[in-house]
Amino acid sequence: MLLQTPVYNLKQFPNVYTPSEDSFLLLDTLEADMNNIIQINPDFIVEIGSGSGVIITALAAFLKNTRCFATDINPEACIATTTTSILNNTCVEACNMTFLTCFKENVFDIIVFNPPYVVTDSEEVFGNGVARAWAGGIDGCEVINQFLKSLPNLMSSKGICYLLLIKENNPQKIINILYGMKFNVNIVKQRKIPCEHLYVLKIYK
Amino acid sequence: MLTSKCMKGVNIGYPLKIKAVDLKESEVDFNPDFISRIIPKLDWTVLISAANSIGKNENLPENLLPEYEKNTEFLKRVHHVLLEIDVVNGELICPESGRKFPINNGIPNMILNEDEV
């Protein structure tokens, strides 16, 4: 096991998403693809919507010679991420923002995003509290579609983005959109769990 | 790394000014290869003015030294300024609009209001 699941304690953070099957699938994906990640020699890594911070902390613990960043729209999640990184003796710089809107363009070599993907009413996407961690609106794609629009300006030329989806998001449709944007895309992992069929896309220039 | 260019009416939004209220210094393992790799990705002038603005210049030169990758002493000072100093409380200020982004507990709040985007 290359990537250890970090220790975390979310007792103080009731409005932060507890790591679940989707989080662990992303960790498994990153572990399975680690040789490719090491090969591009990443300098800057970021997780969008880092929540508890377990994924970016696992990467920071394993990839010592990188700078790891995290963003979350929920300020409580930013504190949870920082707390988890400190608990595991790693350094993750959390920033309270939407996607990567306030970072310089094309700086990140690795982007990891476990978006709010659950099919809900549109209103829930903009609600408060922990619902924002999973409420994805129509087809669960409202936040994902906004993210895809910004993707061309986020990654470095050697960058890789790992994006988690569920079947209801229509992964093939999203892959076609990405092809239209001249990205390369593979489904690198999928897993069926009760009630959800999860996918991880690997997207690169 | 951060800018305010995503704001309505802001063209470049870089570099953000830093106002530090509390600083924290910690120890991070020194890796000369990593620092040498990062330096070309930095805007050196911006780094110097950022370091000056928080009073932590560490005698870094105005211009980047030639063959810096062989100069361990210099790399150590860059390492310290880049990785070992955190602004715990303070603010980042947009150079064009003057919009302030508070930093609390080391976390900048860069959330924009709907009418700012």
Side-chain angles (χ1 to χ4, degrees):
Chain A
M1 187 77 184
L2 295 170
L3 286 185
Q4 302 288 336
T5 303
V7 286
Y8 61 91
N9 181 348
L10 298 178
K11 267 188 205 144
Q12 297 172 62
F13 308 110
N15 293 309
V16 175
Y17 184 73
T18 305
S20 306
E21 292 284 355
D22 48 350
S23 327
F24 298 122
L25 184 71
L26 258 180
L27 275 178
D28 291 349
T29 307
L30 293 165
E31 181 174 72
D33 213 32
M34 194 48 79
N35 281 341
N36 291 317
I37 293 176
I38 291 169
Q39 212 164 28
I40 69 164
N41 212 357
D43 292 323
F44 300 116
I45 299 180
V46 70
E47 181 180 10
I48 302 172
S50 58
S52 64
V54 289
I55 294 172
I56 193 68
T57 297
L59 288 173
F62 185 71
L63 296 163
K64 300 273 185 215
N65 295 321
T66 59
R67 277 312 264 172
C68 289
F69 296 85
T71 69
D72 206 296
I73 203 163
N74 173 1
E76 197 174 309
C78 294
I79 304 172
T81 293
T82 307
T83 306
T84 302
S85 84
I86 293 169
L87 205 56
N88 291 275
N89 293 315
T90 62
C91 179
V92 174
E93 298 202 31
C95 193
N96 188 197
M97 79 170 75
T98 311
F99 301 123
L100 301 176
T101 44
C102 292
F103 276 103
K104 286 174 78 177
E105 292 186 346
N106 304 313
V107 291
F108 290 106
D109 303 311
I110 304 285
I111 298 173
V112 182
F113 187 22
N114 181 0
Y117 56 66
V118 177
V119 179
T120 63
D121 290 336
S122 287
E123 296 82 65
E124 284 189 68
V125 176
F126 304 102
N128 286 317
V130 74
R132 288 197 86 165
W134 45 262
I138 298 163
D139 295 332
C141 277
E142 292 190 34
V143 176
I144 293 166
N145 285 337
Q146 278 185 46
F147 170 69
L148 294 181
K149 272 189 225 160
S150 65
L151 193 56
N153 298 324
L154 304 183
M155 276 193 276
S156 69
S157 55
K158 61 181 180 180
I160 306 174
C161 170
Y162 297 90
L163 175 68
L164 192 127
L165 299 173
I166 54 167
K167 197 169 189 176
E168 288 76 1
N169 303 145
N170 197 343
Q172 194 53 53
K173 190 174 159 189
I174 290 175
I175 290 170
N176 290 339
I177 292 172
L178 287 162
Y179 282 155
M181 297 165 81
K182 309 286 180 217
F183 282 109
N184 297 298
V185 194
N186 309 121
I187 296 175
V188 278
K189 205 94 174 166
Q190 46 181 313
R191 186 175 291 167
K192 281 185 187 167
I193 59 165
C195 306
E196 276 181 354
H197 186 164
L198 303 162
Y199 296 80
V200 181
L201 300 191
K202 176 179 176 176
I203 306 161
Y204 50 102
K205 285 181 181 172
Chain B
M1 291 287 279
L2 294 169
T3 93
S4 51
K5 70 167 177 353
C6 53
M7 289 177 70
K8 198 159 64 182
V10 172
N11 294 318
I12 304 170
Y14 182 83
L16 300 178
K17 292 179 205 157
I18 307 173
K19 189 179 157 197
V21 177
D22 298 315
L23 289 178
K24 189 182 80 187
E25 298 193 34
S26 52
E27 209 170 296
V28 175
D29 292 340
F30 173 59
N31 182 317
D33 293 340
F34 178 65
I35 299 298
S36 300
R37 230 166 67 207
I38 293 294
I39 287 175
K41 295 192 166 194
L42 301 171
D43 185 329
W44 186 256
T45 324
V46 171
L47 176 70
I48 297 301
S49 68
N52 286 340
S53 70
I54 59 170
K56 290 283 172 188
N57 177 282
E58 305 295 315
N59 296 320
L60 290 177
E62 290 294 323
N63 296 306
L64 189 51
L65 302 179
E67 303 197 330
Y68 57 80
E69 60 277 7
K70 294 175 190 158
N71 186 339
T72 308
E73 191 46 46
F74 171 75
L75 293 176
K76 272 189 179 162
R77 279 185 277 140
V78 179
H79 165 83
H80 180 64
V81 170
L82 268 186
L83 306 184
E84 297 189 319
I85 302 172
D86 275 327
V87 178
V88 180
N89 292 300
E91 54 197 21
L92 298 169
I93 303 156
C94 168
E96 288 167 56
S97 66
R99 163 74 146 91
K100 291 173 179 168
F101 301 94
I103 304 173
N104 291 307
N105 302 308
I107 300 170
N109 177 351
M110 308 291 293
I111 297 279
L112 297 167
N113 299 324
E114 255 175 58
D115 60 357
E116 291 178 308
V117 193

